[in-house]
């Protein structure tokens, strides 16, 4: 009999052991301590000597005994949590043969198999049987078997808790422990092979290639050494010129490559000082590089999940891009060198800064100064310079200085545009495209078309009828709200952290670009930036606010007229704090009903999109599609102005859409949704990303992952329970409305609608967090 002290120690150990459904796969399937407690069986990588003495697989006779087929009995009732004794390969084969009727290596609601598999319980050595039923449990079983194979398991004891796990908990855990890691990249000797792969490369030259900025001689030498040390990579190392022109960018379109990002020095195992890439997160699928606005939303999810250093590294990479490429790039591929994306850097910087350890306050402030210097440079030299700044309206536009056709699109993407010109010239579409890209034909109409097409892609909203053939002329509500946020963030940071005086190098903008006499440095004050914000706010309200409609619209700088397209981006004005209280209330009354649908917030209204025909197909940023960035921006916007019921409701709708798809379709987390028809199987240009996987999703999709983690912070206990049960939003909010009414009748102070969230993960930046 154990001594009391020893028994107590055992009890404590058992109490400290995490529930099997919350343990990450790398611990559950590979940790010898965890495995031995749960009698996980067999592994080609695990010698018998390290099995627990109580493990039946430690002895060959016992192993044979427990693997021998036996007559079993059904175990319909269990007094303790079930664990199943599983032959990994045989069970996977059985599932696919019996249940995967459409042959896509997934178990979904579209499969028409019996949706039941019988497993033997581990405690009975496989004698007692239990049925695993339904799409969700069977797809989870398929996923767990795939994870077991990753860690070399041939036989496992699998906890039932991992098969019937609450889907909210399971998806959040997968994002936190698996998806972020699956999307993390690093550009250096170790990470080049993965990041150099470019599914968008349509050129004949597919060898991995990296471009190094001018003046980065140490980095250039590093990659040249890598190409010698790893000849199998066949790495081509190129250095960019000091001045990167649109003509130069076009000249290397047939030699696309990854653009170098920030590196840090470290000492390797041999005691040598070398370089290591600063990690970052990619969106996923064919988007295998660091994207502009994707990275901002990904960083919000990373911060919720405690991945502070990864989020900080992404800021550092943006600072590197501004320093060496002149802007935050659409993404770090050579064909994106002339194109940026929506600006979120100041908010991204501050959200990271607010979470840095107080013990390193001096270093943190130095980091903040470097980052804000880059943000000021971006603001002045990109957004307040030609051609993006419109001096007459005082607002900014998207505008890319590229030449020719965007090379990253699918081969036939522009065929319908090129065909009339090719027919008139009597050549094929392919031949005319070559002539146009090489400047051998002069076609002003095509030049205008591609000017607007590049601007649409820079906007991030590629594509939409809102910006069709006019994007470079449109001062969008979203862009100018983001720049207002820049101006306010810079003003408040200079005032509260830098003593109302912040020195940077001199950066030219539209107002100063013609000046030849200027100082090397300039001192910024908060008053200057508050005034910039006031002026932009006044102009947006004057040119973009529609009192009759109760919402904001884009402004056409060429036609000098307010647009008519109803876009969910009207709520950017609340996210940035630009809208006053009266306008915010009008938007909640007039605009929100236009965009709130079953699955969340739709990008635009059906009437604004217009009629869809064979010659006028759906565009992915129009009705009926919903996107993670719009949802996150709206939740934060509503919360800022105190509309918490609306924030929770729209957030639940979106999380329900993700959760239902996750449950019904083998754990899929796609790039976007049709939030009206409630499907990720969208019939639209580019299709959808995140669907192409076997057995188990490995990445999800960057900003979709983030929206889930951020959104859970808006769920109170009642909503989280409803979400776990995958309850339809219409039923949920009808029930909650009745609960509130009953609560008010009973004069109670708290109801299901007013319970606080279990864990606050929302990312509104209250004044209490701002450092002084």
């Amino acid at each position: 009999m154990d001594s009391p002290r020893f028994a107590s120690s055992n009890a404590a150990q058992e109490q400290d052991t995490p529930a099997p459904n919350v343990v990450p796969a790398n611990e559950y399937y590979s940790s010898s301590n965890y495995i031995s407690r749960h009698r996980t069986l067999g592994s080609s990588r695990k010698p018998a000597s390290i099995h627990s003495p109580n493990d039946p697989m430690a002895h060959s006779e016992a192993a044979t005994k427990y693997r021998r087929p036996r007559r079993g009995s059904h175990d319909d009732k269990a007094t303790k949590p079930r664990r199943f004794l599983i032959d990994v390969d045989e069970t996977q084969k059985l599932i696919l043969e019996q249940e995967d009727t459409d042959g896509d290596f997934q178990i979904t609601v579209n499969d028409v198999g019996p949706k039941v598999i019988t497993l033997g319980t581990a405690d009975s050595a496989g004698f007692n049987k239990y049925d695993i039923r339904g799409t969700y449990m069977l797809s989870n079983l398929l996923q767990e078997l795939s994870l077991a194979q990753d860690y070399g398991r041939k036989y496992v004891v699998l906890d039932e808790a991992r098969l019937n796990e609450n889907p909210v908990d399971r998806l959040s855990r997968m994002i936190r422990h698996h998806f972020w890691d699956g999307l993390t990249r690093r550009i250096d000797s170790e990470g080049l092979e993965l990041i150099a792969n470019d599914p968008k490369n349509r050129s004949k030259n597919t060898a991995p290639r990296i471009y190094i900025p001018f003046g980065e001689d140490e980095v250039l030498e590093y990659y040249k050494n890598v190409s010698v040390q790893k000849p199998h990579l066949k790495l081509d190392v190129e250095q960019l010129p000091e001045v990167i022109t649109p003509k130069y960018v076009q000249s290397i379109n047939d030699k696309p490559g990854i653009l170098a990002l920030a590196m840090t020095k470290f000492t390797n195992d041999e005691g040598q000082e070398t370089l290591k890439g600063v990690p970052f997160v990619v969106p996923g699928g064919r988007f295998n590089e660091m994207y502009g606005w994707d990275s901002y939303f990904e960083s919000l999810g990373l911060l919720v999940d405690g991945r502070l250093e990864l989020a900080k590294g992404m800021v550092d990479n943006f600072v590197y891009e501004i320093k060496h490429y002149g802007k935050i790039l659409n993404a770090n591929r050579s064909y994106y060198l002339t194109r940026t994306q929506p600006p979120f850097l100041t908010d991204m910087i501050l959200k990271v800064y607010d979470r840095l350890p107080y013990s390193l306050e001096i270093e943190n402030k130095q980091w903040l100064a470097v980052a804000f210097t880059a943000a000021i440079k971006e603001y002045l030299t990109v957004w307040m310079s030609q051609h993006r700044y419109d001096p007459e309206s005082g607002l900014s536009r998207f505008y890319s200085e590229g030449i020719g056709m965007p090379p990253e699109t699918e081969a036939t993407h522009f065929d319908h545009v090129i065909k009339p010109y090719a027919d008139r010239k009597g050549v094929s579409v392919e031949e005319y495209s070559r002539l146009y890209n090489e400047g051998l034909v002069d076609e002003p109409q095509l030049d205008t078309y591609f000017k607007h097409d590049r601007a649409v892609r820079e906007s991030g909203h590629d594509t939409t009828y809102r910006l069709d053939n006019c994007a470079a002329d449109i001062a969008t509500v979203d862009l100018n709200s983001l720049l207002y946020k820049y101006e306010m963030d810079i003003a408040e940071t200079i005032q509260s952290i830098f003593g109302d005086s912040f020195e940077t190098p001199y950066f030219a903008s539209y107002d100063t670009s013609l000046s030849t006499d200027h100082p090397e440095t300039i001192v910024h004050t908060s008053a200057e930036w508050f005034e910039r914000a006031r002026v932009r706010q006044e102009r947006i309200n004057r040119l973009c606010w529609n009192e009759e409609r109760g919402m904001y619209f884009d402004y056409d700088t060429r036609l000098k007229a307010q647009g008519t397209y109803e876009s969910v981006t009207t709520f950017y004005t609340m996210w940035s704090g630009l809208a006053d209280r009266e306008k915010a209330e009008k938007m909640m009354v007039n605009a929100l009903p236009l965009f709130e649908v079953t699955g969340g917030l739709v990008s635009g209204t059906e009437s604004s999109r217009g009629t869809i025909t064979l010659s006028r197909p759906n565009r992915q940023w129009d009705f009926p599609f919903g996107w993670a960035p719009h949802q996150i921006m709206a939740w934060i916007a509503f919360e800022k102005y105190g509309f918490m019921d609306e924030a929770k409701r729209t957030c639940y709708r979106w999380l329900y859409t993700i959760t239902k798809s996750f449950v019904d379709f083998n754990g899929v987390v796609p790039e976007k949704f049709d939030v009206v028809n409630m499907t990720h199987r969208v019939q639209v240009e580019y299709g959808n990303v995140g669907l192409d996987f076997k057995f188990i999703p490995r990445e999800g999709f960057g900003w979709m992952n983030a929206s889930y983690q951020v959104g859970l912070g808006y769920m109170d206990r009642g909503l989280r329970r409803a979400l776990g049960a995958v309850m339809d939003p219409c039923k949920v909010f009808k029930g909650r409305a009745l609960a509130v009414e009953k609560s008010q009748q009973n004069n109670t102070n708290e109801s299901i609608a007013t319970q606080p969230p279990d864990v606050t993960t929302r990312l509104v930046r209250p004044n209490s967090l701002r450092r002084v």
Side-chain angles (χ1 to χ4, degrees):
M1 183 174 180
D2 292 331
S3 67
R5 182 173 64 83
F6 187 71
S8 175
S9 174
N10 284 343
Q13 181 181 357
E14 289 296 323
Q15 188 174 3
D16 291 343
T17 301
N21 58 305
V22 302
V23 177
N26 64 328
E27 296 180 27
Y28 190 83
Y29 291 111
S30 67
S31 168
S32 59
N33 289 332
Y34 191 85
I35 288 169
S36 65
R37 282 201 301 274
H38 291 83
R39 297 173 64 204
T40 302
L41 308 184
S43 170
S44 59
R45 298 182 183 176
K46 182 177 177 182
S49 60
I50 66 169
H51 280 286
S52 165
N54 297 322
D55 191 336
M57 301 310 296
H59 309 285
S60 58
E61 293 181 5
T64 303
K65 172 184 175 182
Y66 285 116
R67 291 173 188 166
R68 185 180 301 132
R70 302 176 60 193
R71 184 187 302 274
S73 64
H74 250 70
D75 180 19
D76 294 326
K77 296 181 180 180
T79 58
K80 60 181 179 179
R82 294 185 183 88
R83 294 175 298 158
F84 302 110
L85 179 61
I86 298 175
D87 181 319
V88 174
D89 293 340
E90 286 299 317
T91 306
Q92 184 187 75
K93 181 180 178 182
L94 174 62
I95 292 177
L96 294 176
E97 289 178 350
Q98 175 180 299
E99 302 292 345
D100 181 23
T101 58
D102 58 7
D104 64 354
F105 299 94
Q106 301 174 19
I107 306 302
T108 74
V109 292
N110 293 335
D111 290 306
V112 293
K115 295 292 174 71
V116 58
I117 279 185
T118 302
L119 298 179
T121 61
D123 289 342
S124 69
F127 180 78
N128 293 329
K129 308 294 183 183
Y130 183 76
D131 290 341
I132 305 301
R133 294 181 178 273
T135 299
Y136 180 60
M137 288 187 71
L138 287 171
S139 67
N140 287 349
L141 176 57
L142 183 64
Q143 294 171 45
E144 293 298 326
L145 295 176
S146 182
L147 290 172
Q149 288 176 329
D150 290 347
Y151 293 94
R153 313 305 298 180
K154 298 298 182 182
Y155 296 87
V156 293
V157 168
L158 181 63
D159 291 88
E160 184 183 12
R162 290 182 82 87
L163 303 182
N164 61 13
E165 183 178 3
N166 182 302
V168 175
D169 298 337
R170 183 176 179 86
L171 175 52
S172 182
R173 175 175 59 80
M174 290 178 72
I175 292 170
R176 185 168 58 254
H177 293 301
H178 301 290
F179 289 178
W180 291 135
D181 290 340
L183 293 170
T184 300
R185 304 286 186 271
R186 215 175 67 199
I187 307 180
D188 55 21
S189 175
E190 301 302 319
L192 260 174
E193 198 159 358
L194 183 59
I195 192 64
N197 174 46
D198 183 8
K200 300 181 297 303
N201 182 3
R202 294 191 286 109
S203 72
K204 296 178 181 179
N205 194 337
T206 58
R209 183 176 295 102
I210 185 166
Y211 286 93
I212 314 300
F214 180 86
E216 287 284 85
D217 296 336
E218 185 177 8
V219 175
L220 178 65
E221 188 63 27
Y222 169 85
Y223 284 111
K224 285 184 175 179
N225 288 335
V226 170
S227 67
V228 173
Q229 294 165 4
K230 296 191 172 184
H232 68 281
L233 290 178
K234 299 180 180 178
L235 179 66
D236 182 12
V237 182
E238 305 274 353
Q239 187 163 36
L240 294 169
E242 184 173 7
V243 178
I244 301 171
T245 65
K247 192 68 178 175
Y248 170 77
V249 176
Q250 186 190 36
S251 74
I252 60 173
N253 278 345
D254 61 344
K255 297 191 300 180
I258 197 75
L259 299 173
L261 292 179
M263 305 191 81
T264 57
K265 292 183 178 181
F266 83 109
T267 303
N268 62 23
D269 295 337
E270 288 75 37
Q272 301 169 326
E273 187 177 73
T274 184
L275 297 175
K276 179 171 64 174
V278 174
F280 56 91
V281 168
V282 302
R286 68 175 181 268
F287 305 114
N288 188 36
E289 47 272 319
M290 183 176 175
Y291 276 76
W293 72 324
D294 293 71
S295 294
Y296 167 74
F297 294 102
E298 290 157 1
S299 73
L300 301 185
L302 291 171
L303 291 174
V304 168
D305 285 336
R307 307 290 287 270
L308 176 61
E309 284 303 310
L310 187 50
K312 180 174 179 284
M314 293 169 77
V315 172
D316 293 337
N317 279 316
F318 277 160
V319 171
Y320 185 92
E321 287 187 349
I322 293 170
K323 178 180 179 181
H324 293 288
Y325 306 123
K327 61 180 72 69
I328 290 177
L329 299 169
N330 186 152
N332 63 315
R333 294 280 179 192
S334 55
Y335 41 76
Y336 290 136
L337 275 165
T338 62
R339 197 189 306 164
T340 184
Q341 274 205 322
F344 285 90
L345 182 58
T346 57
D347 194 68
M348 186 177 179
I349 294 168
L350 290 171
K351 282 186 167 52
V352 170
Y353 177 73
D354 286 338
R355 290 157 177 80
L356 295 176
Y358 283 89
S359 59
L360 300 174
E361 190 63 24
I362 294 176
E363 294 89 338
N364 297 342
K365 191 172 178 179
Q366 292 171 345
W367 178 84
L368 181 68
V370 171
F372 258 73
T373 298
I376 290 173
K377 177 183 178 182
E378 181 206 14
Y379 172 89
L380 291 172
T381 63
V382 176
W383 300 112
M384 296 299 289
S385 296
Q386 288 186 317
H387 297 274
R388 292 181 178 89
Y389 178 68
D390 174 49
E392 187 170 342
S393 67
L395 300 178
S396 300
R397 308 163 294 195
F398 293 106
Y399 190 99
S400 173
E401 295 88 355
I403 297 175
M405 301 162 61
E408 78 276 10
T409 57
E410 289 85 346
T412 60
H413 184 80
F414 295 112
D415 283 5
H416 69 290
V417 176
I418 298 298
K419 191 175 188 309
Y421 300 95
D423 289 346
R424 282 201 295 268
K425 197 170 181 62
V427 297
S428 67
V429 169
E430 184 179 6
E431 175 63 12
Y432 192 92
S433 298
R434 183 189 66 80
L435 294 172
Y436 179 74
N437 281 330
E438 293 179 4
L440 300 177
V441 292
D442 182 28
E443 187 47 72
Q445 284 186 319
L446 270 184
D447 294 342
T448 300
Y449 174 87
F450 285 113
K451 175 184 73 173
H452 292 307
D453 180 84
R454 286 189 294 271
V456 171
R457 298 177 191 284
E458 183 169 278
S459 78
H461 292 79
D462 47 327
T463 60
T464 166
Y465 287 114
R466 170 188 169 212
L467 301 175
D468 194 38
N469 210 28
C470 64
D473 297 328
I474 305 300
T476 66
V477 169
D478 36 305
L479 173 58
N480 285 281
S481 295
L482 296 176
L483 293 175
Y484 172 84
K485 183 69 159 57
Y486 261 52
E487 292 155 352
M488 289 298 295
D489 284 345
I490 293 169
E492 292 177 351
T493 301
I494 290 174
Q495 182 182 67
S496 63
I497 297 178
F498 293 109
D500 214 11
S501 177
F502 187 68
E503 186 175 15
T504 71
Y506 172 86
F507 301 122
S509 63
Y510 179 85
D511 295 332
T512 61
S513 59
L514 298 179
S515 173
T516 56
D517 184 21
H518 58 76
E520 290 187 4
T521 62
I522 186 170
V523 176
H524 302 266
T525 64
S526 63
E528 164 199 346
W529 287 92
F530 279 127
E531 178 61 14
R532 287 181 182 273
R534 186 198 66 77
V535 170
R536 190 179 299 272
Q537 180 184 42
E538 184 277 325
R539 289 171 175 171
I540 293 174
N541 283 331
R542 176 165 50 88
L543 298 174
C544 301
W545 174 253
N546 188 306
E547 182 67 23
E548 182 181 351
R549 304 291 296 279
M551 61 184 291
Y552 287 91
F553 291 84
D554 300 329
Y555 180 75
D556 191 317
T557 61
R558 184 178 66 86
L559 300 178
K560 298 179 176 54
Q562 192 178 96
T564 59
Y565 188 104
E566 296 162 331
S567 171
V568 74
T569 55
T570 186
F571 296 124
Y572 277 50
T573 59
M574 294 171 64
W575 176 87
S576 66
L578 181 150
D580 60 33
R581 181 72 195 181
E582 181 181 358
K583 289 182 175 61
E585 290 177 348
K586 288 183 177 179
M587 280 189 279
M588 299 306 288
V589 171
N590 296 290
L592 182 56
L594 297 177
F595 306 111
E596 185 176 357
V597 295
T598 302
L601 295 171
V602 71
S603 298
T605 62
E606 187 174 14
S607 59
S608 290
R609 179 203 64 186
T611 304
I612 297 303
T613 65
L614 286 175
S615 59
R616 192 177 186 273
N618 266 321
R619 299 287 176 82
Q620 64 177 1
W621 285 90
D622 289 326
F623 182 94
F625 304 109
W627 292 78
H630 291 165
Q631 319 299 319
I632 297 173
M633 298 282 280
W635 307 334
I636 296 174
F638 299 162
E639 182 179 10
K640 273 190 174 182
Y641 287 78
F643 299 109
M644 280 305 300
D645 286 345
E646 291 81 357
K648 288 182 178 182
R649 188 178 70 237
T650 54
C651 181
Y652 181 91
R653 291 182 182 279
W654 180 250
L655 298 190
Y656 167 80
T657 304
I658 299 174
T659 306
K660 183 167 175 55
S661 186
F662 176 80
V663 168
D664 289 347
F665 291 93
N666 208 109
V668 70
V669 180
E671 175 193 26
K672 57 181 173 285
F673 282 104
D674 177 339
V675 290
V676 175
N677 300 300
M678 298 300 291
T679 180
H680 64 283
R681 298 289 185 182
V682 297
Q683 301 300 317
V684 70
E685 56 183 345
Y686 306 125
N688 212 344
V689 181
L691 317 185
D692 187 19
F693 61 87
K694 293 182 178 181
F695 310 131
I696 182 172
R698 303 286 182 172
E699 302 176 339
F701 193 83
W703 60 25
M704 193 70 79
N705 301 341
S707 73
Y708 203 79
Q709 302 300 74
V710 172
L712 288 179
Y714 286 87
M715 297 293 96
D716 58 42
R717 289 189 293 274
L719 285 178
R720 183 152 181 157
R721 285 196 298 270
L723 189 62
V726 200
M727 287 182 63
D728 186 281
C730 297
K731 294 181 180 179
V732 171
F733 292 104
K734 181 179 180 180
R736 286 172 72 86
L738 292 174
V740 172
E741 182 179 351
K742 183 177 180 181
S743 171
Q744 292 171 344
Q745 291 173 352
N746 295 335
N747 294 318
T748 56
N749 294 323
E750 184 176 4
S751 72
I752 191 173
T754 57
Q755 294 171 2
D758 294 325
V759 180
T760 300
T761 57
R762 296 193 299 274
L763 291 164
V764 174
R765 187 168 181 262
N767 289 331
S768 61
L769 280 180
R770 301 190 178 190
R771 303 184 180 195
V772 295

